[in-house]
């Protein structure tokens, strides 16, 4: 299993829709996870941190399932400005205290 | 002003040239990282440093070298640039108190093209 895998994109959804992305990871000892968003050719920006079972911030909810080794990101009431690539980040197994970034899932919110 | 500043923002150069990309931060973070990103691929770690005296190779360090001149400065060098090093390069920082809880913060990136 790869260290981190994400749902293939792109996800094309209408404004106002609810959309969810999944991310699976292989390092069962992982303790902390992150979701970043990246706009085209821009730097990744931290969206949410996930340290326990989950986290909620406004329209965004992240959930962690340790038994099945996946994290999810739920976006409610999608806005046009949510269009971006969403990167899942998990601790890396073989490079000490570092993280591995998933390939990303692209979201397009359509008017 | 940005907390993590990369210079230059864009660079076009020729094969065989030596290039240095610089990163400075005002966040007071101990840990600094260099990544490259290619179209369709995720971020790949080139080098990382947990303090001034600590330098570590990442997954794709061949053809690159780094220097941690101070806590706030971490530079990446391409000794003899080749076209497949054309990519978007990011510097990132993180605090070092507890690796399992601290996310990374990125600079704006450097677009490097090698002809």
């Amino acid at each position: 299993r790869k260290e981190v895998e994400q749902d293939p994109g792109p996800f094309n959804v209408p404004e106002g829709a609810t959309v969810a992305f999944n991310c699976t990871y292989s390092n069962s000892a992982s303790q902390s996870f992150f979701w970043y968003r990246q706009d085209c050719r821009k730097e990744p920006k931290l969206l949410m941190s996930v340290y326990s079972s989950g986290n909620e911030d406004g329209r965004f909810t992240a959930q962690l399932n340790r038994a099945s080794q996946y994290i999810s990101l739920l976006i409610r009431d999608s806005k046009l400005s949510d269009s971006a690539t969403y990167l899942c980040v998990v601790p890396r197994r073989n490079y000490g205290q570092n993280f591995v970034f998933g390939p990303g899932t692209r979201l397009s919110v359509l008017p | 002003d940005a907390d993590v500043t990369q210079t230059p923002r864009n660079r076009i150069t020729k094969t065989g040239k030596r290039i240095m990309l610089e990163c400075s931060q005002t966040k007071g973070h101990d840990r600094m990282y260099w990544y490259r990103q290619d179209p369709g691929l995720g971020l790949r770690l080139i080098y990382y440093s947990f303090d001034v005296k600590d330098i570590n190779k990442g997954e794709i360090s061949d053809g690159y070298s780094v220097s941690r001149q101070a806590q706030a400065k971490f530079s990446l060098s391409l000794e003899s640039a080749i076209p497949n090093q054309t990519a978007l390069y990011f510097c990132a920082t993180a605090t070092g108190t507890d690796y399992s809880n601290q996310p990374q913060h990125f600079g704006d990136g450097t677009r490097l093209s090698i002809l």
Side-chain angles (χ1 to χ4, degrees), chain B residues 10 13 22 28 33 47 51 60-61 68-69 72 77 98 112:
Chain B
N10 295 280
T13 191
E22 298 189 2
Y33 307 80
Y47 270 95
D51 64 42
I60 54 163
S61 58
R68 183 80 183 267
Q69 302 96 321
S77 294
D98 182 344
L112 179 61

Side-chain angles (χ1 to χ4, degrees), chain A residues 31-34 36 38 40-46 49 51 87 91-92 95-103, chain B residues 31 33 35 37 39 41-43 45 48 50 57-59 88 90 99-108 111:
Chain A
Q31 295 295 315
S32 54
F33 308 85
F34 307 100
Y36 283 73
Q38 185 176 25
C40 187
R41 307 287 280 171
K42 300 287 188 180
E43 77 276 21
K45 292 184 178 178
L46 180 66
S49 303
Y51 299 132
L87 309 177
R92 186 181 291 271
Y95 280 96
Q97 300 164 10
N98 274 320
F99 295 92
V100 59
F101 286 74
Chain B
R31 302 182 180 187
Y33 307 80
Y35 292 90
Q37 188 174 38
L41 298 178
L43 288 159
L45 183 64
Y48 63 100
F50 284 173
K57 292 183 178 180
E59 56 186 314
L88 183 55
F90 288 107
Y99 82 92
S100 66
N101 288 310
Q102 306 309 317
Q104 296 176 7
H105 302 268
F106 287 81
D108 291 341
R111 289 186 182 79

Side-chain angles (χ1 to χ4, degrees), chain B residues 7-83:
Chain B
T7 56
R9 293 292 309 279
N10 295 280
R11 178 77 184 270
I12 300 173
T13 191
K14 295 181 178 179
T15 297
K17 294 291 188 181
R18 185 179 187 274
I19 302 160
M20 180 180 286
L21 308 184
E22 298 189 2
C23 177
S24 62
Q25 52 116 346
T26 59
K27 299 183 77 68
H29 289 170
D30 292 322
R31 302 182 180 187
M32 299 187 73
Y33 307 80
W34 276 105
Y35 292 90
R36 65 176 281 176
Q37 188 174 38
D38 298 275
L41 298 178
L43 288 159
R44 291 185 292 168
L45 183 64
I46 306 172
Y47 270 95
Y48 63 100
S49 168
F50 284 173
D51 64 42
V52 175
K53 297 179 182 179
D54 177 76
I55 300 289
N56 303 282
K57 292 183 178 180
E59 56 186 314
I60 54 163
S61 58
D62 288 348
Y64 301 94
S65 62
V66 290
S67 174
R68 183 80 183 267
Q69 302 96 321
Q71 188 208 31
K73 296 183 182 295
F74 193 36
S75 59
L76 176 72
S77 294
L78 288 69
E79 297 301 326
S80 180
I82 56 177

